[in-house]
Amino acid sequence: QSVLTQPPSVSGAPGQRVTISCTGSYSNIGAGYDVHWYQQLPGTAPILLIFGNTKRPSGVPDRFSGSKSGTSASLAISGLQAEDEADYYCQSYDTSLSGWVFGGGTKLTVL
Amino acid sequence: QVQLQESGPGLLKPSETLSLTCTVSGYSISSGYYWGWVRQPPGKGLEWIGTMYHTGITYYNPSLKSRVTISLGTSKRQFSLDLRSVTAADTAVYFCARSDCTSNSCFVDSWGQGTLVTVSS
């Protein structure tokens, strides 16, 4: 059971917009700690997609965007492409656990 | 551009110590950032193991803290992970990572490719 809760899977057709939620609590996201997102393609290491809730590292397309409100955060992917099919993880800090915490991951399927 | 590469044994027996080294190219560890390890059991999600500031200060996952040591290598381009008394539950792909921080939370901005460590008798 992950401290940050993500849906196990989401899907969408090419060109559509999908969102992935990351639900935490008042000891992590709700305490004001920033949320970060990673994309992991099959058989590869994760890559940083969003940091500081909303910021994109250079090279990440603006189709990817992040938001945060209350005890939750979301990753939105617009203009869905076949190459976006991957696992997505949220990550933050938890003050009760005194450490980094990851969501359980969400598998995105492009139909 | 920084690159990280893990090395170490791929197969261990229960109760042994897992020792991995991360070799960094394109950046000197002593120049800054945080350096650490994340693991991923087969078919499962990511788990933070621990992080070390470039000065040597360490932060560990409380669930692993009693068994883990992250330390700087003899070279300014290496750091290491020791995980003692391993069991089958420690079987995972281990990633070394460079981290940066916002005002209140850190994130991995560069990852190694990962190395599979299997614990089996």
Side-chain angles (χ1 to χ4, degrees), chain A residues 16-102:
Chain A
Q16 285 189 332
R17 180 178 185 271
V18 296
T19 61
I20 298 172
S21 61
C22 175
T23 302
S25 67
Y26 286 104
S27 64
N28 41 68
I29 300 175
Y33 290 103
D34 291 339
V35 178
H36 321 292
W37 291 89
Y38 304 91
Q39 177 194 61
Q40 186 176 32
L41 298 170
T44 68
I47 63 169
L48 181 65
L49 213 53
I50 297 287
F51 67 97
N53 306 315
T54 60
K55 302 177 183 64
R56 278 178 288 106
S58 60
V60 173
D62 60 5
R63 301 186 296 107
F64 295 90
S65 62
S67 63
K68 173 188 162 184
S69 179
T71 59
S72 296
S74 290
L75 173 71
I77 309 172
S78 60
L80 208 55
Q81 301 179 1
E83 66 204 49
D84 297 333
E85 192 160 283
D87 294 325
Y88 293 82
Y89 294 91
C90 60
Q91 178 246 314
S92 186
Y93 181 84
D94 189 284
T95 187
S96 295
L97 298 175
S98 298
W100 299 17
V101 288
F102 285 95

Side-chain angles (χ1 to χ4, degrees), chain A residues 32-36 38 40 43-48 51-52 55 87 89 91-93 97-104, chain B residues 34 38 40 44-48 51 60-62 95 99-114:
Chain A
Y33 290 103
D34 291 339
V35 178
H36 321 292
Y38 304 91
Q40 186 176 32
T44 68
I47 63 169
L48 181 65
F51 67 97
K55 302 177 183 64
D87 294 325
Y89 294 91
Q91 178 246 314
S92 186
Y93 181 84
L97 298 175
S98 298
W100 299 17
V101 288
F102 285 95
Chain B
Y34 293 78
V38 175
Q40 184 172 36
K44 296 188 178 181
L46 302 168
E47 180 182 30
W48 173 66
T51 301
Y60 298 129
N61 185 325
F95 298 98
S99 300
D100 199 354
C101 301
T102 62
S103 60
N104 62 36
S105 178
C106 298
F107 55 90
V108 177
D109 68 353
S110 295
W111 298 75
Q113 67 182 30

Side-chain angles (χ1 to χ4, degrees), chain B residues 2 31 37 41 48 50 52 69 72 86 91-92 99 105 114:
Chain B
V2 65
S31 296
W37 298 87
W48 173 66
M52 175 186 66
T69 302
L72 291 167
V86 298
T91 295
S99 300
S105 178

Side-chain angles (χ1 to χ4, degrees), chain B residues 29-93:
Chain B
I29 293 171
S30 59
S31 296
Y33 289 97
Y34 293 78
W35 306 87
W37 298 87
V38 175
R39 70 181 181 179
Q40 184 172 36
K44 296 188 178 181
L46 302 168
E47 180 182 30
W48 173 66
I49 298 172
T51 301
M52 175 186 66
Y53 193 44
H54 69 94
T55 57
I57 298 172
T58 52
Y59 308 86
Y60 298 129
N61 185 325
S63 69
L64 299 170
K65 186 175 183 178
S66 63
R67 299 193 291 133
V68 171
T69 302
I70 295 174
S71 57
L72 291 167
T74 53
S75 158
K76 290 183 179 179
R77 299 192 182 278
Q78 289 186 332
F79 63 98
S80 64
L81 168 70
D82 285 332
L83 179 64
R84 296 173 289 279
S85 303
V86 298
T87 69
D90 295 310
T91 295
V93 175

